[in-house]
Amino acid sequence: MLAHDQDSLKRTPLYDLHVSLGGKMVPFAGYDMPVQYPAGVLKEHLHTRSKAGLFDVSHMGQLALWPKSGNVEDAARALERLVPQDIVAIAAGRQRYAQFTNDDGGILDDLMVANFGDHLFLVVNAACKAEDEAHLRANLSDACVIEQLADRALIALQGPKAEAALAKFCADAPAMTFMDAGPHEVAGIKCFVSRSGYTGEDGFEISVPSGDAERLAKMLLEDPDVLPIGLGARDSLRLEAGLCLYGHDIDTTTTPVEAALEWSVQKSRRTGGARAGGFPGAAKILAHFDGGASRRRVGLRAEGRAPVREGALLFVDAAGGERIGQVTSGGFGPSLNAPVAMGYVPTNLSALGTKLFAEVRGQRLPLAVAAMPFVKNTYKR
């Protein structure tokens, strides 16, 4: 990377901490972010699965939707114009996974939506946050005041020891269950805390004022069970959990049904539901629900040890024939000590156990469609 390009990268409020901890910094979504620390990706991954890892996800976008009427349900109904999820049904103190869709049913971004009682709190992906904010302002300004929360950092604490580590500073943490979200004090700091994350492990995401972020991160890292974790292990953890990475496993060309995200679209928004349709691309998405889609995102397990990475072409035969799909995420799964991948295949080839071949360096490696998540999640229900 050229020096002037490096200088143009943004830095999160935890940048100096990453450098002091020996983080290897790389460009990611316009930010200078740690890909790993001296322990290395493998150890960071396994530590998160066995104890607790601390992730800087401050590059993500944080937004508040304030209803002009003063009634949060009006903000929820407005947001339903842009997403196929039931936002009205999100109770105060809870959050839900959603997607912004386009007129062709494709996914503009995926996001988290929380009901904070008097407004909605949104977390969107770093690479899409400017476009997402513009999308909200263009479509919802009649009903909502859209507030960009640029003065906040976001920290994820993930793993089986996460609750014990956070409970030292947040008395509310042990009582929270998966997808609970709302304002809570952490070490006397007014934060927004959700019991969620993107590793498949139990854990929390903590939105904290930027000026308090480094102090809070250092307090959490004083716990011997908590290690700093970089982007490398974050990616391998979410892959083992079968979770989509925007721009790779889902994008503007994939519908929620093709992406195997049907579970995220509640019955109230589907054909025959109380508020069916009314979101961009509804005709195509609902047609996929009612009649099926021609392709589907699936999990893939290779027979050998060689990782099958993003971009690998998929075939039904060991030699010859046209490609039938492509890998969208792939790598080595440290928890499984084996390679794992995800990709899109024709729906008639998406059944568990279906034998396929991936082209890797001119050779076709055997693999099979496998159940996801590859590693059982440990969310606190």
Side-chain angles (χ1 to χ4, degrees), residues 160-241:
K161 301 289 188 181
E163 179 186 289
L166 186 58
K168 297 176 183 177
F169 307 104
C170 179
D172 302 334
M176 295 177 71
T177 58
F178 183 56
M179 298 298 256
D180 280 352
H184 296 275
E185 280 203 4
V186 183
I189 304 165
K190 292 183 178 179
C191 297
F192 310 145
V193 182
S194 68
R195 192 154 196 162
S196 61
Y198 225 60
T199 62
E201 295 292 332
D202 180 27
F204 302 85
E205 291 194 343
I206 307 161
S207 172
V208 54
S210 295
D212 296 309
E214 183 173 329
R215 178 166 65 94
L216 178 57
K218 285 181 174 178
M219 284 191 285
L220 291 167
L221 288 168
E222 287 176 1
D223 190 315
D225 285 333
V226 180
L227 286 184
I229 311 295
L231 293 173
R234 179 174 167 81
D235 191 53
S236 57
L237 288 158
R238 71 92 197 165
L239 176 56
E240 285 186 345

Side-chain angles (χ1 to χ4, degrees), residues 47-53 55 157-164 195 199-204 378:
H47 185 90
T48 304
R49 289 269 185 253
S50 63
K51 294 183 179 179
F55 302 76
L157 183 65
Q158 300 282 292
K161 301 289 188 181
E163 179 186 289
R195 192 154 196 162
T199 62
E201 295 292 332
D202 180 27
F204 302 85
T378 61

